[in-house]
Amino acid sequence: MTEYLVFRLYAPLASWGEAAVGESRPSATYPGRSAIIGLLGAALGVRRDDDEGQRRLRDSVGIAIKQRSPGSLMRDYHTVQVPASQSKVTYRTRRDELSAPRKVIHTILSSRDYRCDGLWTVAVWLTPQAELTLEELEQALKTPYFTLYLGRKACPPAAPLAPRRELCSRLQDALDAGFPPLCGKDEGDERRAMRLPDSVVYAWEGDAKALDGNGHGVESSEVWDVPLNRRRWQFGPRAEYRRIVQAREDG
């Protein structure tokens, strides 16, 4: 039996950043390790420049996701005015940037992707080298130090995370733990009102058989979402396992 901390993520807008090239800022359909570590770090009050605090958190937890709905894609088109870099000139505020001489201000075009009305369940467990406890993480999510958001500051949660600890023999049992429906009286009402898809996606780290003990129908891939240095925005690779299950199997 393993103890897990499970909680729910829902918002009208969420953005789970992927590798960005040029002006395009895509979003994955579910949160990766970096996003969940960032959420837990904000709840605990771990700042981006606290390298030791970031390391302790990163090394303490394993993470799995159940995607009940990826939400629909929304692409936001941006135009941003920024001054060109100049030697011996430092812009400390946005007001300073916009007060720069017009001849040095340029317009940058970009697009940013969001997931609308996505719904995810997260399970967190402790690693052998953990320096934190699930009790600490649970309490932090209930009374977060910093404001929580789902990928970007414009994406605050729209429902309680409802964190709680579960003792389960399988990771899938922890991810299938139920929550109060977001709308209606039961899960059926919720499914119809939110138009949840006919299948769910499980994504986890560690071992291919960790979800249900058999590893059938599991895909694996290498993803670069392990936060190595938040200040320099550096990430490392990890193996991620995925399995798609029909909704009728969804516990």
Side-chain angles (χ1 to χ4, degrees), residues 9-11 13-16 31 34-36 38-40 42-43 48 144 146-158 161 230 233:
L9 298 177
Y10 167 76
L13 290 178
S15 185
W16 311 120
S34 175
I36 300 303
L39 185 80
L40 295 173
R48 289 182 184 272
F146 293 121
T147 301
L148 304 183
Y149 50 88
L150 276 56
R152 293 198 179 114
K153 290 184 179 180
C155 308
L161 273 64
R230 290 287 187 181
W233 219 245

Side-chain angles (χ1 to χ4, degrees), residues 75-95:
R75 182 156 293 162
D76 193 14
Y77 178 73
H78 278 248
T79 61
V80 182
Q81 289 186 309
V82 295
S85 299
Q86 303 177 72
S87 61
K88 300 182 180 180
V89 177
T90 300
Y91 301 100
R92 301 188 182 281
T93 67
R94 181 62 176 157
R95 183 175 182 178

Side-chain angles (χ1 to χ4, degrees), residues 36 176 202:
I36 300 303
D176 288 344
Y202 296 93

